[in-house]
Amino acid sequence: SSAAMAALRGRALLAPLGARLRAGPRAPLRSAASSSPPLYDVVVSGGGMVGSAMAAVLGHDIHFHDKKIALLEAGPRKEYDHMPDSYSNRVSSISPGSATLLSSCGAWDHVCSLRLKPFRRMQVWDACSEAMIVFEKDDLDDMGYIVENDVIMSALTKQLDAVADRVEVFYRSRAVGYTWPLPSHGCDTSPWVQVELADGRRLQTKLLIGADGHNSMVRKEAEIKNIEHQYDQSAVVATLHLSEATDNNVAWQRFLPTGPIALLPLSDTASSLVWSTSHDHASELLAMDEESFVDSINSAFWSNINHSDFIDTAGAMFRSAISLLKPSGTAVRQLPPSVAGVDAESRAMFPLGLGHATEYVRPRVALIGDAAHRVHPLAGQGVNLGFGDIACLAHHLSAAAFNGSDLGSLKHLLKFETERQRHNVSLIAATDVLKRLYSTTLAPLVLLRTWGLQATNALPPVKVRI
Amino acid sequence: QLSLFRFTVKRPFSTSHSSVDSKEMKKFQLLAHKWWDEEGEYAALHSMNDIRVPFIRDTLLSMSGNYHLGNPLSGIKILDVGCGGGLLSEPLGRLGASVTGIDPVEDNIRTADRHKSFDPVLAKRIQYKSSSLEEIVEESMETFDVIVASEVVEHVADLEMFIKCCSQVLKPEGSLFITTINKTQLSYVLGIVVAEKIMGIVPEGTHEWEKFVPPEELERLLESNGFSVRSVRGMLYNPLSGSWSWVQSRSLNYALHAVRAGAPAQSHATDTLPETDVQQRSATAGTAG
């Protein structure tokens, strides 16, 4: 897989301003001033959590005070004054860094007033051994927050309204075509990116930001190569009811040979399920009756069926060795709550895959979120990577605006790409490796990861980095 | 950015007193269409924006009380002398200033006009004119808040006349920003031999070392023509990273900010001894650095 790793690093290996292929077989528009489509400084294509947050953050930036931003969203407007009683089955684990970003555009306050669940602790353990790792912050701060995606969307919609003089949101508007400008020197044609919408309307923009998900049309039209891999797994999500009320401020994840199962707290009595498993098993889980479904979940978390004596002994030996060196190095394993029921209609499944664009930017184009990178949910990182992209890109665009630069200039876009690829590639690769490592029952690999997990649990510096 | 020189073809001026140099014209005409390729011949000038625009912006912001959100230079009238293809005019325009860009090479002005035409905001804020500095003095007395002469004075034939004209078109207490190249052994080796002949950072033949201006000389000329020099800073280009940075030493490139005195400038008769200036210049030639 070193070839894949090298390919993942992509642009970082090549000279920064090396020849970038100019994509786009379509003929660009001539500069007919009278019938020119409206010109925006930035168009964000894709109004999901990441696209909306990008538009909201730019809209609240002081150096964008007089700029024109457009957000294109294929679906309808989503806003709630209060949440429905039942929880949505699509939730995200929001890191403190992401919370800070949402705070910067005023959205976090709305999230807090709708609903969210902070968690203090994360316990991750192996189904094939006793090995586990516990993440906990020393200070009593929250490690992260479990928030329904609808809540985040509603908060962002409110904050987009607040800057409506700068940000124009086009709901129910799908982009169907993009036209790229020719190389900048010496031409009479428009230097801007042309965007064509499904209803025939056209826009022009100085910078196009692709936030249109892992099947990104922006990325495809720009002919940016994407490293893709479909996992043989789907994720099953559901909203679960716990057997008894509890503090429920721990996020649980157990690695089964078929895939990781995670329980994310929603409230004192409810948790969200994310169970990554084979396609067949996922379909079975969706089809079975409620009681069997609940039994499967409890069994997945509690059963020791995958243990072998050999592994247990080896693991125990290692643990005693560690406790000699570092007496407090092994924490007590807590037991996850047991599940009593599931919300009807809340069971759903979606396929999982890995994706990484070899380039995040082109002249006048930048990719963020799943359009740039797609990860396995086991690390709970997905949307946080996207928010990290936003923080980085917004920082560079803000500086560029304050310098009077052309927003679509490759110079600052490349800085964004370098910073984010450096950060994302190692995390995506690590997630992929973890996924593969934990997909086996072979003793040597189990031992390896068992000892690795135990050692990592005992070593504070490594844990903090994660 | 670049030079001022005559239009011997179009304008029937006598050639004796002018800040313009006709040889310089030819050099830039050939490259008139290359301005806007960020990675082409003018790449170093494009990346120079990363330090010269903040320099101008922050100096002006610190001098004025108002700040318009999103348009820090709003309300300021700037003259960009030797604007070339508009590389510096456009960022200044984006920051809210009203910019007049002048350059004697018509092709440069044409390129600049075409490039700004696609952006309606810039098209309104920036006006380009094919002209030398002297030619606009009469109609632009005390018109501008700021003059920017970036990478120009090393191409100019008569520097003192150039400075006098700047003084005339600037409002009292207006700012003058100059970036140029020092005349030192180092600037010969790096600025001409390496930059032009070896690494091709600057198109060959662009510069003549004889015309480089030491900062002491520039300061002297400015101070004796009614300007007060506020700051002089060294600049350095790193060809590996393609970026500029501020440095202590002014042996190579430097930037200068001067302010025109509030009181009426002292008048110098135009025939006050250009020969003296020439003598002084050659006297300092070997020792500057």
Side-chain angles (χ1 to χ4, degrees), chain B residues 53-72:
Chain B
V53 173
F55 178 50
I56 297 168
R57 173 198 75 208
D58 293 340
T59 305
L60 294 177
L61 278 176
S62 71
M63 285 168 47
S64 99
N66 316 325
Y67 179 77
H68 301 256
L69 272 184
N71 280 306

Side-chain angles (χ1 to χ4, degrees), chain A residues 31 66 188 206 402-404, chain B residues 36 57 71 94 114 118-119:
Chain A
S31 63
D66 286 0
D188 285 317
K206 302 174 188 174
F402 193 43
N403 280 353
Chain B
W36 287 101
R57 173 198 75 208
N71 280 306
R94 281 194 201 97
R114 188 171 59 227
F118 295 102
D119 184 339

Side-chain angles (χ1 to χ4, degrees), chain A residues 17 31 39 62-63 65-67 184-192 206 401-406 409-411, chain B residues 33 36-39 46-47 50 53-54 57-58 61 67 69-72 90-91 94-95 114 118-120:
Chain A
L17 287 180
S31 63
L39 174 64
I62 53 169
H63 301 307
H65 190 268
D66 286 0
K67 305 249 184 277
S184 57
H185 38 289
C187 66
D188 285 317
T189 53
S190 168
W192 314 127
K206 302 174 188 174
F402 193 43
N403 280 353
S405 302
D406 178 349
S409 163
L410 208 46
K411 245 186 318 157
Chain B
H33 59 289
W36 287 101
D37 181 2
E38 279 185 22
E39 296 152 40
H46 276 278
S47 67
D50 292 339
V53 173
R57 173 198 75 208
D58 293 340
L61 278 176
Y67 179 77
L69 272 184
N71 280 306
E90 288 203 3
R94 281 194 201 97
L95 291 179
R114 188 171 59 227
F118 295 102
D119 184 339

Side-chain angles (χ1 to χ4, degrees), chain A residues 262-278:
Chain A
L263 211 57
L264 307 171
L266 289 172
S267 72
D268 288 348
T269 54
S271 286
S272 186
L273 173 78
V274 183
W275 190 347
S276 309
T277 184
S278 70

